[in-house]
Coordinates of all heavy atoms in Angstrom, one line a residue:
M22 N 13.5 -60.7 -89.5 CA 14.9 -60.3 -89.3 C 15.9 -61.4 -89.7 O 15.7 -62.6 -89.3 CB 15.1 -60.0 -87.8 CG 16.0 -58.8 -87.6 SD 16.3 -58.6 -85.9 CE 15.5 -57.0 -85.6
S23 N 16.8 -61.1 -90.6 CA 17.8 -62.1 -91.1 C 18.8 -62.4 -90.0 O 19.1 -61.5 -89.1 CB 18.5 -61.6 -92.3 OG 19.4 -60.5 -92.0
P24 N 19.4 -63.6 -90.0 CA 20.4 -64.0 -89.0 C 21.6 -63.0 -89.1 O 22.2 -62.8 -88.0 CB 20.8 -65.4 -89.4 CG 19.7 -65.9 -90.3 CD 19.1 -64.7 -91.0
L25 N 22.0 -62.5 -90.3 CA 23.1 -61.6 -90.4 C 22.9 -60.3 -89.6 O 23.8 -59.9 -88.8 CB 23.3 -61.3 -91.9 CG 24.6 -60.5 -92.2 CD1 25.8 -61.3 -91.9 CD2 24.6 -60.0 -93.6
K26 N 21.7 -59.8 -89.6 CA 21.4 -58.6 -88.9 C 21.5 -58.9 -87.4 O 22.0 -58.0 -86.6 CB 19.9 -58.1 -89.2 CG 19.9 -57.1 -90.3 CD 18.5 -56.5 -90.5 CE 18.5 -55.6 -91.7 NZ 17.1 -55.1 -91.9
L27 N 21.1 -60.0 -87.0 CA 21.2 -60.4 -85.5 C 22.6 -60.4 -85.1 O 23.0 -59.9 -84.0 CB 20.5 -61.7 -85.3 CG 19.0 -61.7 -85.1 CD1 18.5 -63.2 -85.0 CD2 18.7 -61.0 -83.8
V28 N 23.5 -61.0 -86.0 CA 24.9 -61.0 -85.6 C 25.5 -59.6 -85.5 O 26.2 -59.3 -84.6 CB 25.7 -61.9 -86.7 CG1 27.2 -61.7 -86.6 CG2 25.3 -63.3 -86.6
I29 N 25.1 -58.8 -86.5 CA 25.6 -57.4 -86.5 C 25.2 -56.7 -85.2 O 26.0 -56.0 -84.5 CB 25.2 -56.6 -87.7 CG1 25.9 -57.2 -89.0 CG2 25.4 -55.1 -87.6 CD1 25.4 -56.7 -90.3
I30 N 23.9 -56.9 -84.8 CA 23.4 -56.2 -83.6 C 24.1 -56.7 -82.4 O 24.5 -56.0 -81.5 CB 21.9 -56.5 -83.5 CG1 21.1 -55.6 -84.5 CG2 21.4 -56.2 -82.1 CD1 19.7 -56.0 -84.7
A31 N 24.4 -58.1 -82.4 CA 25.1 -58.6 -81.3 C 26.5 -58.0 -81.2 O 27.0 -57.7 -80.1 CB 25.2 -60.2 -81.4
I32 N 27.2 -57.9 -82.3 CA 28.6 -57.3 -82.3 C 28.5 -55.8 -81.8 O 29.3 -55.4 -81.0 CB 29.2 -57.4 -83.7 CG1 29.5 -58.8 -84.1 CG2 30.4 -56.5 -83.8 CD1 29.9 -59.1 -85.5
L33 N 27.5 -55.1 -82.3 CA 27.4 -53.7 -81.9 C 27.2 -53.6 -80.4 O 27.8 -52.8 -79.7 CB 26.2 -53.0 -82.7 CG 26.6 -52.6 -84.1 CD1 25.3 -52.1 -84.8 CD2 27.7 -51.6 -84.2
L34 N 26.3 -54.5 -79.9 CA 26.0 -54.5 -78.5 C 27.3 -54.8 -77.7 O 27.6 -54.1 -76.7 CB 24.9 -55.5 -78.1 CG 23.5 -55.1 -78.4 CD1 22.5 -56.2 -78.1 CD2 23.1 -53.9 -77.4
Y35 N 28.1 -55.8 -78.2 CA 29.3 -56.2 -77.5 C 30.3 -55.0 -77.5 O 30.9 -54.7 -76.5 CB 29.9 -57.4 -78.3 CG 31.2 -57.8 -77.7 CD1 31.3 -58.4 -76.5 CD2 32.4 -57.6 -78.5 CE1 32.6 -58.7 -75.9 CE2 33.6 -58.0 -78.0 CZ 33.7 -58.5 -76.7 OH 34.9 -58.9 -76.2
L36 N 30.4 -54.3 -78.7 CA 31.3 -53.2 -78.8 C 30.9 -52.0 -77.8 O 31.7 -51.4 -77.1 CB 31.4 -52.7 -80.2 CG 32.2 -53.5 -81.2 CD1 32.1 -53.0 -82.6 CD2 33.7 -53.6 -80.7
G37 N 29.6 -51.8 -77.8 CA 29.1 -50.8 -76.9 C 29.4 -51.1 -75.5 O 29.8 -50.2 -74.7
Y38 N 29.2 -52.4 -75.1 CA 29.5 -52.8 -73.8 C 30.9 -52.6 -73.4 O 31.3 -52.1 -72.4 CB 29.1 -54.3 -73.7 CG 29.5 -55.0 -72.4 CD1 28.8 -54.7 -71.2 CD2 30.5 -55.9 -72.5 CE1 29.2 -55.4 -70.1 CE2 30.9 -56.6 -71.3 CZ 30.2 -56.3 -70.1 OH 30.6 -57.0 -69.0
R39 N 31.8 -53.0 -74.4 CA 33.3 -52.8 -74.1 C 33.6 -51.3 -73.9 O 34.4 -51.0 -73.1 CB 34.1 -53.4 -75.4 CG 34.1 -54.9 -75.4 CD 35.1 -55.4 -74.4 NE 36.4 -54.9 -74.5 CZ 37.4 -55.6 -75.2 NH1 37.1 -56.7 -75.8 NH2 38.6 -55.0 -75.3
L40 N 33.0 -50.5 -74.7 CA 33.3 -49.0 -74.6 C 32.8 -48.5 -73.2 O 33.6 -47.8 -72.6 CB 32.5 -48.2 -75.7 CG 33.3 -48.1 -77.0 CD1 32.4 -47.5 -78.1 CD2 34.5 -47.3 -76.9
L41 N 31.7 -49.0 -72.8 CA 31.2 -48.5 -71.5 C 32.1 -49.0 -70.4 O 32.4 -48.2 -69.5 CB 29.8 -49.2 -71.3 CG 28.6 -48.3 -71.8 CD1 27.3 -49.1 -71.6 CD2 28.5 -47.0 -71.0
I42 N 32.6 -50.2 -70.5 CA 33.4 -50.7 -69.4 C 34.8 -50.0 -69.4 O 35.2 -49.5 -68.3 CB 33.7 -52.2 -69.7 CG1 32.4 -53.1 -69.4 CG2 34.8 -52.7 -68.8 CD1 32.0 -53.1 -68.0
S43 N 35.4 -49.7 -70.6 CA 36.7 -49.0 -70.6 C 36.5 -47.6 -70.1 O 37.3 -47.1 -69.3 CB 37.3 -49.1 -71.9 OG 36.5 -48.3 -72.8
D44 N 35.4 -47.0 -70.4 CA 35.1 -45.6 -70.0 C 34.9 -45.6 -68.5 O 35.5 -44.7 -67.8 CB 33.8 -45.1 -70.7 CG 33.7 -43.6 -70.6 OD1 34.7 -42.9 -70.7 OD2 32.6 -43.1 -70.4
W45 N 34.2 -46.5 -67.9 CA 34.0 -46.6 -66.5 C 35.3 -46.8 -65.7 O 35.6 -46.2 -64.7 CB 33.0 -47.8 -66.2 CG 32.8 -48.0 -64.8 CD1 32.0 -47.2 -64.0 CD2 33.2 -49.1 -64.0 NE1 32.0 -47.8 -62.7 CE2 32.7 -49.0 -62.7 CE3 34.0 -50.2 -64.3 CZ2 32.9 -49.9 -61.7 CZ3 34.2 -51.2 -63.3 CH2 33.7 -51.0 -62.0
K46 N 36.2 -47.7 -66.4 CA 37.5 -47.9 -65.7 C 38.3 -46.6 -65.7 O 39.0 -46.3 -64.7 CB 38.2 -49.0 -66.5 CG 37.8 -50.4 -66.0 CD 38.7 -51.4 -66.7 CE 38.2 -52.8 -66.3 NZ 38.9 -53.9 -67.2
K47 N 38.3 -45.9 -66.8 CA 39.0 -44.6 -66.9 C 38.5 -43.6 -65.8 O 39.3 -43.0 -65.1 CB 38.8 -44.0 -68.2 CG 39.9 -44.3 -69.2 CD 39.7 -43.5 -70.5 CE 40.1 -44.3 -71.8 NZ 39.5 -43.8 -73.0
K48 N 37.2 -43.6 -65.7 CA 36.7 -42.6 -64.6 C 37.1 -43.0 -63.3 O 37.4 -42.2 -62.4 CB 35.1 -42.6 -64.7 CG 34.6 -41.7 -65.8 CD 33.1 -41.7 -65.8 CE 32.6 -41.0 -67.0 NZ 31.2 -41.3 -67.3
R49 N 37.1 -44.3 -63.0 CA 37.5 -44.8 -61.7 C 38.9 -44.5 -61.4 O 39.3 -44.0 -60.3 CB 37.3 -46.4 -61.6 CG 36.1 -46.7 -60.9 CD 36.1 -48.2 -60.5 NE 36.9 -48.4 -59.4 CZ 36.9 -49.5 -58.7 NH1 36.1 -50.5 -59.0 NH2 37.7 -49.7 -57.6
R50 N 39.8 -44.7 -62.4 CA 41.2 -44.4 -62.2 C 41.4 -42.9 -61.9 O 42.2 -42.5 -61.1 CB 42.0 -44.8 -63.4 CG 43.4 -45.2 -63.1 CD 44.2 -45.6 -64.4 NE 43.6 -46.8 -65.0 CZ 43.6 -47.0 -66.3 NH1 44.2 -46.2 -67.1 NH2 43.0 -48.1 -66.8
K51 N 40.7 -42.1 -62.7 CA 40.8 -40.7 -62.5 C 40.4 -40.2 -61.1 O 41.0 -39.4 -60.5 CB 39.9 -40.0 -63.5 CG 40.4 -38.6 -63.9 CD 39.5 -37.9 -64.9 CE 39.8 -36.5 -65.2 NZ 38.8 -35.8 -66.0
R52 N 39.3 -40.8 -60.6 CA 38.8 -40.5 -59.3 C 39.8 -40.9 -58.2 O 40.1 -40.1 -57.3 CB 37.5 -41.2 -59.0 CG 36.6 -40.5 -58.0 CD 35.4 -41.3 -57.6 NE 34.6 -41.6 -58.8 CZ 33.8 -42.6 -58.9 NH1 33.8 -43.5 -58.0 NH2 33.1 -42.8 -60.0
D53 N 40.5 -42.0 -58.4 CA 41.5 -42.5 -57.5 C 42.7 -41.5 -57.4 O 43.2 -41.2 -56.4 CB 42.0 -43.8 -57.9 CG 41.0 -44.9 -57.5 OD1 40.1 -44.6 -56.8 OD2 41.2 -46.1 -58.0
D54 N 43.0 -40.9 -58.6 CA 44.1 -40.0 -58.7 C 43.7 -38.7 -57.9 O 44.6 -38.1 -57.3 CB 44.4 -39.6 -60.2 CG 45.2 -40.8 -60.8 OD1 45.7 -41.7 -60.1 OD2 45.2 -40.7 -62.1
E55 N 42.5 -38.3 -58.0 CA 42.1 -37.1 -57.4 C 42.0 -37.2 -55.9 O 42.3 -36.2 -55.2 CB 40.7 -36.7 -57.9 CG 40.7 -36.0 -59.3 CD 39.3 -35.9 -59.9 OE1 38.3 -36.3 -59.2 OE2 39.2 -35.5 -61.0
E56 N 41.8 -38.4 -55.4 CA 41.7 -38.6 -53.9 C 43.1 -38.6 -53.3 O 43.2 -38.2 -52.1 CB 40.9 -39.9 -53.6 CG 39.4 -39.7 -53.7 CD 38.7 -41.0 -53.5 OE1 39.3 -42.0 -53.2 OE2 37.5 -41.0 -53.8
S57 N 44.1 -39.2 -54.0 CA 45.3 -39.4 -53.4 C 46.2 -38.2 -53.0 O 46.8 -38.2 -51.9 CB 46.2 -40.3 -54.3 OG 46.3 -39.8 -55.6
P58 N 46.2 -37.1 -53.7 CA 47.1 -36.1 -53.3 C 46.7 -35.3 -52.0 O 45.6 -34.9 -51.9 CB 47.2 -35.1 -54.5 CG 45.9 -35.3 -55.2 CD 45.5 -36.7 -55.0
K59 N 47.6 -35.3 -51.1 CA 47.4 -34.7 -49.8 C 48.4 -33.5 -49.6 O 48.5 -32.9 -48.5 CB 47.5 -35.7 -48.6 CG 46.3 -36.6 -48.6 CD 46.5 -37.7 -47.6 CE 45.4 -38.7 -47.6 NZ 45.7 -39.9 -46.8
E60 N 49.1 -33.2 -50.7 CA 50.2 -32.2 -50.5 C 49.6 -30.8 -50.3 O 50.2 -30.0 -49.6 CB 51.1 -32.3 -51.7 CG 52.1 -33.4 -51.7 CD 52.5 -33.9 -53.1 OE1 53.3 -33.2 -53.7 OE2 52.0 -34.9 -53.6
S61 N 48.5 -30.5 -50.9 CA 47.9 -29.2 -50.8 C 47.5 -28.9 -49.3 O 47.7 -27.9 -48.8 CB 46.7 -29.0 -51.7 OG 45.8 -30.0 -51.5
K62 N 47.0 -30.0 -48.7 CA 46.6 -29.9 -47.3 C 47.8 -29.6 -46.4 O 47.8 -28.8 -45.5 CB 45.9 -31.1 -46.8 CG 44.4 -31.1 -47.1 CD 43.7 -32.4 -46.5 CE 42.3 -32.4 -46.9 NZ 41.6 -33.6 -46.4
L63 N 48.9 -30.3 -46.7 CA 50.1 -30.2 -46.0 C 50.6 -28.7 -46.1 O 51.1 -28.2 -45.1 CB 51.2 -31.1 -46.5 CG 51.5 -32.3 -45.7 CD1 52.5 -33.3 -46.4 CD2 52.2 -31.9 -44.4
E64 N 50.6 -28.2 -47.3 CA 51.0 -26.8 -47.4 C 50.2 -25.8 -46.5 O 50.8 -24.9 -46.0 CB 50.9 -26.4 -48.9 CG 52.1 -26.8 -49.7 CD 51.9 -26.6 -51.2 OE1 51.2 -25.7 -51.6 OE2 52.5 -27.3 -52.0
D65 N 48.9 -26.0 -46.4 CA 48.1 -25.2 -45.6 C 48.6 -25.3 -44.1 O 48.7 -24.3 -43.4 CB 46.7 -25.6 -45.7 CG 46.0 -25.2 -47.0 OD1 46.7 -24.4 -47.7 OD2 45.0 -25.7 -47.3
D66 N 48.9 -26.5 -43.7 CA 49.4 -26.6 -42.3 C 50.7 -25.9 -42.1 O 50.9 -25.3 -41.1 CB 49.6 -28.1 -42.0 CG 48.3 -28.8 -41.8 OD1 47.3 -28.1 -41.7 OD2 48.3 -30.1 -41.7
Q67 N 51.6 -26.0 -43.1 CA 52.9 -25.3 -43.0 C 52.7 -23.8 -42.9 O 53.4 -23.1 -42.2 CB 53.8 -25.7 -44.1 CG 54.4 -27.1 -43.9 CD 55.0 -27.6 -45.2 OE1 54.9 -27.0 -46.2 NE2 55.7 -28.7 -45.1
V68 N 51.7 -23.3 -43.6 CA 51.5 -21.8 -43.6 C 51.0 -21.4 -42.2 O 51.4 -20.4 -41.6 CB 50.4 -21.4 -44.6 CG1 49.9 -20.0 -44.4 CG2 51.0 -21.5 -46.0
E69 N 50.2 -22.3 -41.6 CA 49.7 -22.0 -40.2 C 50.8 -22.2 -39.2 O 50.7 -21.6 -38.1 CB 48.5 -23.0 -39.9 CG 47.2 -22.4 -40.3 CD 46.8 -21.2 -39.4 OE1 46.7 -21.3 -38.2 OE2 46.6 -20.1 -40.0
D70 N 51.8 -23.0 -39.5 CA 52.8 -23.3 -38.5 C 53.9 -22.2 -38.5 O 55.1 -22.5 -38.7 CB 53.4 -24.7 -38.8 CG 53.9 -25.3 -37.5 OD1 53.5 -24.9 -36.4 OD2 54.6 -26.3 -37.6
V71 N 53.5 -21.0 -38.3 CA 54.5 -19.9 -38.2 C 54.9 -19.7 -36.8 O 54.1 -19.8 -35.9 CB 53.8 -18.6 -38.8 CG1 54.8 -17.5 -38.9 CG2 53.3 -18.9 -40.2
L72 N 56.2 -19.3 -36.6 CA 56.6 -19.0 -35.2 C 56.3 -17.6 -34.9 O 56.5 -16.6 -35.7 CB 58.1 -19.2 -35.1 CG 58.6 -20.7 -35.1 CD1 60.1 -20.7 -35.0 CD2 58.0 -21.4 -33.9
V73 N 55.7 -17.4 -33.7 CA 55.4 -16.0 -33.3 C 56.1 -15.8 -31.9 O 56.3 -16.7 -31.2 CB 53.8 -15.9 -33.1 CG1 53.1 -15.8 -34.4 CG2 53.2 -17.0 -32.3
E74 N 56.4 -14.5 -31.7 CA 57.1 -14.2 -30.5 C 56.2 -13.8 -29.4 O 55.3 -13.0 -29.5 CB 58.1 -13.1 -30.8 CG 59.2 -13.0 -29.7 CD 60.1 -11.8 -29.9 OE1 60.4 -11.4 -31.1 OE2 60.7 -11.3 -28.9
D75 N 56.5 -14.4 -28.2 CA 55.8 -14.0 -27.0 C 56.3 -12.7 -26.5 O 57.5 -12.6 -26.2 CB 56.0 -15.2 -26.0 CG 55.3 -15.0 -24.7 OD1 55.2 -13.8 -24.2 OD2 54.9 -16.0 -24.1
P76 N 55.5 -11.7 -26.4 CA 56.0 -10.3 -26.0 C 56.4 -10.3 -24.5 O 57.1 -9.3 -24.1 CB 54.8 -9.4 -26.3 CG 53.6 -10.2 -26.3 CD 54.1 -11.6 -26.7
V77 N 56.0 -11.3 -23.7 CA 56.4 -11.3 -22.3 C 57.7 -11.9 -22.1 O 58.6 -11.3 -21.5 CB 55.3 -12.0 -21.5 CG1 55.6 -12.0 -20.0 CG2 53.9 -11.2 -21.7
C78 N 57.9 -13.2 -22.5 CA 59.1 -13.9 -22.2 C 60.0 -14.0 -23.5 O 61.1 -14.5 -23.4 CB 58.9 -15.3 -21.7 SG 58.0 -16.4 -22.8
H79 N 59.5 -13.5 -24.6 CA 60.2 -13.4 -25.9 C 60.6 -14.8 -26.4 O 61.6 -15.0 -27.0 CB 61.5 -12.5 -25.8 CG 61.1 -11.1 -25.4 ND1 60.6 -10.2 -26.4 CD2 61.1 -10.5 -24.2 CE1 60.3 -9.1 -25.8 NE2 60.6 -9.2 -24.5
K80 N 59.8 -15.8 -26.1 CA 60.0 -17.2 -26.6 C 59.3 -17.3 -27.9 O 58.2 -16.6 -28.1 CB 59.4 -18.1 -25.6 CG 60.0 -19.5 -25.5 CD 59.2 -20.4 -24.7 CE 59.6 -20.4 -23.2 NZ 58.8 -21.3 -22.4
L81 N 59.8 -18.1 -28.8 CA 59.1 -18.3 -30.1 C 58.2 -19.5 -30.0 O 58.7 -20.6 -29.6 CB 60.2 -18.5 -31.2 CG 60.9 -17.2 -31.6 CD1 62.0 -17.5 -32.6 CD2 60.0 -16.1 -32.2
V82 N 57.0 -19.3 -30.4 CA 56.0 -20.5 -30.3 C 55.3 -20.6 -31.6 O 55.0 -19.6 -32.3 CB 55.0 -20.3 -29.2 CG1 55.4 -20.8 -27.9 CG2 54.6 -18.8 -29.0
P83 N 55.0 -21.9 -32.0 CA 54.2 -22.1 -33.2 C 52.8 -21.4 -33.0 O 52.2 -21.6 -32.0 CB 54.1 -23.6 -33.4 CG 55.1 -24.1 -32.5 CD 55.4 -23.1 -31.4
R84 N 52.4 -20.7 -34.0 CA 51.1 -19.9 -33.9 C 49.9 -20.8 -33.6 O 49.0 -20.4 -32.9 CB 50.9 -19.1 -35.2 CG 49.8 -18.1 -35.0 CD 49.8 -17.1 -36.1 NE 49.5 -17.6 -37.4 CZ 49.4 -16.9 -38.5 NH1 49.8 -15.7 -38.5 NH2 49.1 -17.4 -39.6
R85 N 49.9 -22.0 -34.1 CA 48.8 -22.9 -33.8 C 48.7 -23.3 -32.3 O 47.6 -23.5 -31.8 CB 48.9 -24.2 -34.7 CG 48.4 -24.1 -36.1 CD 48.2 -25.4 -36.7 NE 49.5 -26.1 -36.8 CZ 49.7 -27.3 -37.3 NH1 48.7 -28.0 -37.7 NH2 50.9 -27.8 -37.3
Q86 N 49.8 -23.4 -31.7 CA 49.8 -23.8 -30.3 C 49.8 -22.6 -29.3 O 49.6 -22.7 -28.1 CB 51.1 -24.6 -29.9 CG 51.1 -25.9 -30.6 CD 52.5 -26.6 -30.5 OE1 53.2 -26.3 -29.6 NE2 52.8 -27.4 -31.5
A87 N 50.0 -21.4 -29.9 CA 50.1 -20.2 -29.0 C 48.7 -19.8 -28.5 O 47.7 -20.1 -29.0 CB 50.7 -19.1 -29.8
I88 N 48.7 -19.1 -27.3 CA 47.5 -18.5 -26.7 C 47.3 -17.2 -27.4 O 48.2 -16.4 -27.5 CB 47.7 -18.3 -25.2 CG1 48.3 -19.6 -24.5 CG2 46.4 -17.8 -24.6 CD1 47.2 -20.5 -24.1
R89 N 46.1 -17.0 -27.9 CA 45.8 -15.8 -28.7 C 45.1 -14.7 -27.8 O 44.3 -15.1 -27.0 CB 44.9 -16.1 -29.8 CG 45.6 -16.4 -31.1 CD 44.7 -16.3 -32.3 NE 43.4 -16.8 -32.1 CZ 42.6 -17.0 -33.2 NH1 43.0 -16.8 -34.4 NH2 41.4 -17.5 -33.0
L90 N 45.5 -13.5 -28.0 CA 44.8 -12.4 -27.2 C 44.6 -11.3 -28.2 O 45.6 -10.8 -28.8 CB 45.7 -12.0 -26.0 CG 45.0 -10.8 -25.2 CD1 43.9 -11.3 -24.3 CD2 46.1 -10.2 -24.4
K91 N 43.4 -10.8 -28.3 CA 43.1 -9.6 -29.1 C 43.2 -8.4 -28.3 O 42.5 -8.3 -27.3 CB 41.8 -9.8 -29.8 CG 41.7 -8.9 -31.0 CD 40.6 -9.3 -32.0 CE 40.7 -8.5 -33.2 NZ 39.5 -8.7 -34.1
Q92 N 44.0 -7.5 -28.7 CA 44.1 -6.2 -28.0 C 43.0 -5.2 -28.3 O 42.5 -5.3 -29.5 CB 45.5 -5.6 -28.2 CG 46.6 -6.3 -27.5 CD 47.9 -5.5 -27.7 OE1 48.4 -5.4 -28.8 NE2 48.4 -4.9 -26.7
K93 N 42.7 -4.4 -27.4 CA 41.6 -3.4 -27.7 C 42.2 -2.4 -28.7 O 43.3 -1.9 -28.6 CB 41.3 -2.7 -26.4 CG 40.3 -3.5 -25.6 CD 40.0 -2.7 -24.3 CE 39.3 -3.6 -23.3 NZ 39.2 -3.0 -21.9
G94 N 41.4 -2.1 -29.7 CA 41.8 -1.1 -30.7 C 42.8 -1.6 -31.7 O 43.4 -0.8 -32.4
R95 N 43.1 -2.9 -31.7 CA 44.1 -3.4 -32.6 C 43.4 -4.6 -33.4 O 42.6 -5.4 -32.9 CB 45.3 -3.9 -31.9 CG 46.3 -2.8 -31.6 CD 47.5 -3.4 -31.0 NE 48.3 -4.2 -32.0 CZ 49.6 -4.5 -31.8 NH1 50.2 -4.2 -30.7 NH2 50.2 -5.2 -32.7
Q96 N 43.8 -4.7 -34.7 CA 43.2 -5.7 -35.6 C 43.9 -7.0 -35.4 O 43.3 -8.1 -35.5 CB 43.3 -5.3 -37.0 CG 42.4 -4.1 -37.4 CD 41.0 -4.5 -37.5 OE1 40.6 -5.5 -38.1 NE2 40.1 -3.8 -36.8
D97 N 45.2 -7.0 -35.1 CA 45.9 -8.3 -35.0 C 46.0 -8.9 -33.6 O 45.8 -8.2 -32.6 CB 47.4 -8.1 -35.6 CG 48.0 -6.9 -34.9 OD1 47.3 -6.0 -34.4 OD2 49.3 -6.8 -34.9
Y98 N 46.3 -10.1 -33.6 CA 46.3 -10.8 -32.3 C 47.7 -10.8 -31.7 O 48.7 -10.6 -32.4 CB 46.0 -12.3 -32.5 CG 44.5 -12.5 -32.8 CD1 44.0 -12.7 -34.0 CD2 43.6 -12.6 -31.7 CE1 42.7 -12.9 -34.3 CE2 42.3 -12.8 -31.9 CZ 41.8 -13.0 -33.2 OH 40.5 -13.2 -33.4
V99 N 47.8 -10.9 -30.4 CA 49.1 -11.1 -29.7 C 49.2 -12.5 -29.3 O 48.2 -13.1 -28.8 CB 49.2 -10.1 -28.5 CG1 50.7 -10.1 -28.0 CG2 48.9 -8.7 -28.9
Y100 N 50.3 -13.2 -29.5 CA 50.4 -14.6 -29.2 C 51.4 -14.8 -28.0 O 52.4 -14.1 -27.8 CB 51.0 -15.3 -30.4 CG 50.0 -15.2 -31.6 CD1 50.2 -14.2 -32.5 CD2 49.0 -16.1 -31.7 CE1 49.3 -14.1 -33.6 CE2 48.1 -16.1 -32.8 CZ 48.3 -15.0 -33.7 OH 47.5 -14.9 -34.8
F101 N 51.0 -15.8 -27.2 CA 51.8 -16.1 -26.0 C 52.1 -17.6 -25.9 O 51.3 -18.4 -26.4 CB 51.0 -15.7 -24.7 CG 50.6 -14.3 -24.7 CD1 49.4 -13.9 -25.2 CD2 51.5 -13.3 -24.3 CE1 49.0 -12.5 -25.2 CE2 51.2 -12.0 -24.3 CZ 49.9 -11.6 -24.8
C102 N 53.2 -18.0 -25.2 CA 53.5 -19.4 -25.1 C 52.6 -20.0 -24.1 O 52.4 -21.3 -24.1 CB 55.0 -19.5 -24.7 SG 55.3 -18.9 -23.0
S103 N 52.1 -19.3 -23.1 CA 51.3 -19.9 -22.1 C 50.2 -18.9 -21.6 O 50.4 -17.7 -21.8 CB 52.1 -20.4 -20.9 OG 52.7 -19.3 -20.3
E104 N 49.2 -19.4 -20.8 CA 48.2 -18.5 -20.3 C 48.9 -17.6 -19.2 O 48.4 -16.5 -19.0 CB 47.1 -19.3 -19.6 CG 46.0 -19.7 -20.6 CD 44.9 -20.4 -19.9 OE1 44.3 -19.8 -19.0 OE2 44.6 -21.6 -20.3
E105 N 49.9 -18.1 -18.6 CA 50.6 -17.3 -17.6 C 51.1 -16.0 -18.2 O 50.9 -14.9 -17.7 CB 51.8 -18.1 -17.1 CG 52.1 -17.8 -15.6 CD 53.2 -18.7 -15.1 OE1 53.0 -20.0 -15.1 OE2 54.3 -18.2 -14.8
C106 N 51.8 -16.1 -19.4 CA 52.3 -15.0 -20.0 C 51.2 -14.1 -20.5 O 51.3 -12.8 -20.5 CB 53.2 -15.4 -21.2 SG 54.8 -16.0 -20.7
C107 N 50.1 -14.7 -21.0 CA 49.0 -13.9 -21.5 C 48.4 -13.1 -20.3 O 48.1 -11.9 -20.5 CB 47.9 -14.9 -22.0 SG 46.4 -14.1 -22.6
N108 N 48.3 -13.7 -19.1 CA 47.8 -12.9 -18.0 C 48.7 -11.8 -17.6 O 48.2 -10.7 -17.3 CB 47.6 -13.9 -16.8 CG 46.4 -14.9 -17.0 OD1 45.5 -14.6 -17.8 ND2 46.5 -16.0 -16.4
K109 N 50.0 -12.1 -17.6 CA 51.0 -11.1 -17.3 C 50.8 -9.9 -18.2 O 50.8 -8.7 -17.8 CB 52.4 -11.6 -17.4 CG 53.0 -12.2 -16.1 CD 54.4 -12.5 -16.3 CE 54.9 -13.6 -15.3 NZ 56.2 -14.1 -15.6
F110 N 50.7 -10.2 -19.5 CA 50.6 -9.2 -20.5 C 49.4 -8.3 -20.3 O 49.4 -7.1 -20.4 CB 50.6 -9.8 -21.9 CG 50.6 -8.8 -23.0 CD1 51.8 -8.2 -23.4 CD2 49.5 -8.4 -23.7 CE1 51.8 -7.3 -24.5 CE2 49.5 -7.5 -24.7 CZ 50.7 -6.9 -25.1
S111 N 48.2 -9.0 -20.1 CA 47.0 -8.2 -20.0 C 47.0 -7.4 -18.7 O 46.4 -6.3 -18.6 CB 45.8 -9.2 -20.0 OG 45.9 -10.2 -19.1
Q112 N 47.7 -7.9 -17.6 CA 47.8 -7.1 -16.4 C 48.6 -5.9 -16.6 O 48.2 -4.8 -16.2 CB 48.4 -8.0 -15.3 CG 47.4 -8.9 -14.6 CD 48.0 -10.0 -13.8 OE1 49.2 -9.9 -13.4 NE2 47.2 -11.0 -13.5
T113 N 49.8 -6.0 -17.3 CA 50.6 -4.8 -17.5 C 49.9 -3.9 -18.4 O 50.0 -2.7 -18.3 CB 52.0 -5.2 -18.1 OG1 51.7 -6.0 -19.2 CG2 52.8 -6.0 -17.1
G114 N 49.1 -4.4 -19.3 CA 48.3 -3.6 -20.3 C 47.3 -2.7 -19.6 O 47.1 -1.6 -19.9
E115 N 46.7 -3.3 -18.5 CA 45.7 -2.6 -17.8 C 46.3 -1.4 -17.0 O 45.6 -0.4 -16.8 CB 44.9 -3.5 -16.8 CG 43.8 -4.3 -17.5 CD 43.3 -5.4 -16.7 OE1 43.5 -5.4 -15.5 OE2 42.7 -6.3 -17.3
Q116 N 47.5 -1.6 -16.5 CA 48.2 -0.6 -15.7 C 48.5 0.6 -16.5 O 48.6 1.7 -16.0 CB 49.5 -1.2 -15.1 CG 49.2 -2.1 -13.9 CD 50.4 -2.9 -13.5 OE1 51.5 -2.7 -14.0 NE2 50.2 -3.8 -12.6
E117 N 48.7 0.5 -17.8 CA 49.1 1.6 -18.6 C 48.0 2.6 -18.8 O 46.8 2.3 -19.0 CB 49.5 1.1 -20.0 CG 51.0 0.6 -20.0 CD 51.3 0.0 -21.4 OE1 50.6 0.2 -22.3 OE2 52.3 -0.7 -21.4
Ligands
ZN25 ZN1 55.8 -16.8 -22.5

């Protein structure tokens, strides 16, 4: 092997090494960008944070904090501000 070939191989190896490093850095930067955005999660929370009306005391409560009650023969839930109201509602429901 001539010395010139060795030099060329060394340069090629160096260039290949440089390419690998820059590619790896790009990938790292891209991954960092993907991890940072949390806005989509926030939007989901806002969708869940809907105000619902308590049918007993007619107070508006965030749905996430409300007490849920599923009525018989109904697909949707009824929401209450407290267990007290929930109990009142189910008691009046039984009387009907
Ligand atoms: Zn209530």
Side-chain angles (χ1 to χ4, degrees):
M22 219 182 245
S23 70
L25 188 66
K26 270 188 182 175
L27 275 175
V28 169
I29 288 168
I30 286 167
I32 289 169
L33 284 175
L34 279 174
Y35 176 70
L36 286 175
Y38 171 74
R39 283 287 300 265
L40 274 172
L41 271 175
I42 291 293
S43 66
D44 197 36
W45 177 71
K46 275 184 184 171
K47 267 185 214 162
K48 275 180 190 166
R49 259 194 78 163
R50 206 180 299 150
K51 207 180 172 187
R52 206 186 301 152
D53 286 348
D54 286 345
E55 281 166 6
E56 279 173 11
S57 55
K59 286 170 183 172
E60 283 152 77
S61 57
K62 275 185 182 176
L63 253 173
E64 276 173 28
D65 287 346
D66 284 350
Q67 281 167 353
V68 167
E69 269 295 297
D70 210 16
V71 182
L72 286 177
V73 286
E74 195 184 332
D75 183 322
V77 177
C78 66
H79 299 283
K80 210 188 272 180
L81 289 173
V82 270
R84 193 161 69 182
R85 276 193 300 179
Q86 290 168 30
I88 311 270
R89 269 197 319 193
L90 179 78
K91 198 165 189 187
Q92 284 186 291
K93 280 176 192 171
R95 278 187 66 167
Q96 289 287 313
D97 50 339
Y98 288 98
V99 189
Y100 298 92
F101 304 94
C102 68
S103 64
E104 273 185 56
E105 213 176 297
C106 285
C107 180
N108 289 336
K109 266 188 205 171
F110 184 84
S111 51
Q112 275 164 22
T113 54
E115 276 167 21
Q116 282 167 7
E117 278 171 15

